[in-house]
Amino acid sequence: MHTILVTGGAGYIGSHTVKRLLDAGYKVIVADDLSTGHASAVDKRAVFYQLDVRDNQAFGNVLDQEQVEAVLHCAGKIVVSESVKEPLKYFHHNVSGLNEVLKVVAEKGIKKFMFSSTASIYGNNCFNIKAVETTQVAPTNPYAASKHIGEQMIHWVSERYQMNYVIFRYFNVAGAEMDASNGLRTENPTHLVPSINLTLLGKRPVFEIFGDDYQTADGTCIRDYIHVCDLARAHQLGMDYLFNGGQSTVFNLGTEQGYSVKQVADTAERITGIPLNVKISERRSGDPDFVLANAGKARERLDWVPEHSLEEIIQSDFHWRKQF
Ligand code: UDP
């Protein structure tokens, strides 16, 4: 049985991935400072350490004690609009934080590393095309820039220390476990699907569309929405790949299906049968018009095929939220 440590394993993507890794037979150690994560999201089968991964001593002790063979680094800040307002916070957590993690990973001789990156590093360069991993990156906000820097750091550290890595560029992750046992726990989420569902559930007065004058058919931004459980499975396949001797590489994780903000809102209204109170607001800074994946590489090399539809993404998040 291989042992994997997941940083940020109490967070949204981390906790769904932890479950999937455990289901596949990995031993999973979670390191999370609970600054945004929740201990209750961590699967009981995992070993949990509450620590800041920038604490070299504490982090190194856990790697030794648990004989960790691979690290999945999910910990980080992820809100684009916040990053525009507080860029240094993003460089602190996502760049300095990664630097500290890599320092200890290299020192302890860990040779397998997996990293949560983002499709937003393509910026507007995938306008009207499906981004492939070789599409030129062009971050349009500090969050994307911090992930782009992170990718380069991992590349150079792996060259020096003969570490193999898988970097995943996530498109728009949303949804919850289909049995509503886990989902996004963020107090006041800013992402599209939870914002729509919170309005449908009467917990927000109005859903704001941030700009309807983009260069798309209906004027609202187009994104590629991927179910969190499909994403979690990709991580398990990525770990299998690394443990089978796979070489360092980058994979896009998306469905290759684009939906506009208006289409997502209309779908949510249709499947819940609840009318949505919508208002058109100003554009949000840093938003590209169009972000869509070509995920052929993950399909071919990892045998990964996303299974969940947009309807399931919206519905699972809705059921998850309805409980509270
Ligand atoms: N969006 C919106 N209203 C909201 C939240 C998001 O119109 O309340 C739009 C946002 O401007 C973007 C798309 O939905 O065009 C996806 O945004 P999200 O924050 O979910 O993810 P991002 O693409 O920024 O990572």
Side-chain angles (χ1 to χ4, degrees), residues 54-114:
R54 292 166 301 178
D55 179 341
N56 295 162
Q57 188 72 41
F59 185 56
N61 287 345
V62 173
L63 294 181
D64 281 341
Q65 202 170 312
E66 300 290 350
Q67 296 179 298
V68 170
E69 298 166 80
V71 169
L72 161 57
H73 185 50
C74 283
K77 298 279 168 213
I78 60 156
V79 180
V80 169
S81 51
E82 184 188 39
S83 81
V84 175
K85 288 194 200 99
E86 296 181 79
L88 291 171
K89 179 170 169 183
Y90 275 68
F91 294 121
H92 178 66
H93 285 275
N94 294 357
V95 177
S96 308
L98 173 62
N99 193 62
E100 296 310 308
V101 166
L102 286 173
K103 201 171 9 182
V104 180
V105 162
E107 181 194 307
K108 299 291 178 191
I110 290 172
K111 300 294 182 201
K112 295 174 181 62
F113 196 78
M114 191 176 280

Side-chain angles (χ1 to χ4, degrees), residues 88-308:
L88 291 171
K89 179 170 169 183
Y90 275 68
F91 294 121
H92 178 66
H93 285 275
N94 294 357
V95 177
S96 308
L98 173 62
N99 193 62
E100 296 310 308
V101 166
L102 286 173
K103 201 171 9 182
V104 180
V105 162
E107 181 194 307
K108 299 291 178 191
I110 290 172
K111 300 294 182 201
K112 295 174 181 62
F113 196 78
M114 191 176 280
F115 181 60
S116 302
S117 186
T118 172
S120 67
I121 73 171
Y122 296 118
N124 275 307
N125 279 356
C126 54
F127 187 66
N128 282 339
I129 58 151
K130 291 181 178 177
V132 287
E133 290 80 358
T134 49
T135 297
Q136 176 85 44
V137 300
T140 57
N141 56 66
Y143 164 63
S146 73
K147 289 292 181 179
H148 178 40
I149 295 167
E151 289 195 4
Q152 295 172 83
M153 289 163 64
I154 291 164
H155 171 74
W156 292 113
V157 170
S158 81
E159 291 276 298
R160 166 67 180 82
Y161 295 99
Q162 294 82 47
M163 179 181 88
N164 285 328
Y165 65 80
V166 164
I167 290 172
F168 284 126
R169 293 181 180 158
Y170 306 154
F171 283 66
N172 285 66
V173 188
E177 286 286 349
M178 300 307 279
D179 64 2
S181 57
N182 194 13
L184 180 70
R185 293 164 198 252
T186 310
E187 193 93 20
N188 198 9
T190 58
H191 288 103
L192 181 65
V193 172
S195 298
I196 290 172
N197 281 337
L198 284 168
T199 312
L200 290 172
L201 287 163
K203 292 176 182 164
R204 286 188 190 169
V206 62
F207 164 66
E208 292 181 66
I209 294 181
F210 298 134
D212 67 349
D213 57 351
Y214 285 93
Q215 291 179 59
T216 60
D218 67 18
T220 65
C221 292
I222 291 180
R223 296 286 182 275
D224 182 330
Y225 295 91
I226 170 87
H227 195 286
V228 68
C229 294
D230 282 326
L231 198 86
R233 199 162 41 82
H235 290 75
Q236 178 234 311
L237 295 170
M239 278 297 170
D240 297 349
Y241 168 87
L242 285 175
F243 280 105
N244 286 327
Q247 296 302 299
S248 296
T249 196
V250 180
F251 293 109
N252 285 340
L253 295 180
T255 61
E256 307 190 334
Q257 301 288 321
Y259 294 98
S260 72
V261 174
K262 276 187 182 157
Q263 284 175 317
V264 177
D266 290 348
T267 307
E269 268 191 319
R270 177 170 53 76
I271 61 178
T272 60
I274 306 170
L276 181 66
N277 188 15
V278 180
K279 171 184 157 195
I280 307 294
S281 298
E282 289 295 296
R283 283 182 175 210
R284 206 175 59 172
S285 83
D287 276 344
D289 304 52
F290 186 99
V291 184
L292 194 52
N294 176 320
K297 188 171 164 188
R299 215 168 34 237
E300 281 155 30
R301 306 264 290 270
L302 300 179
D303 203 16
W304 175 75
V305 184
E307 286 165 1
H308 295 290

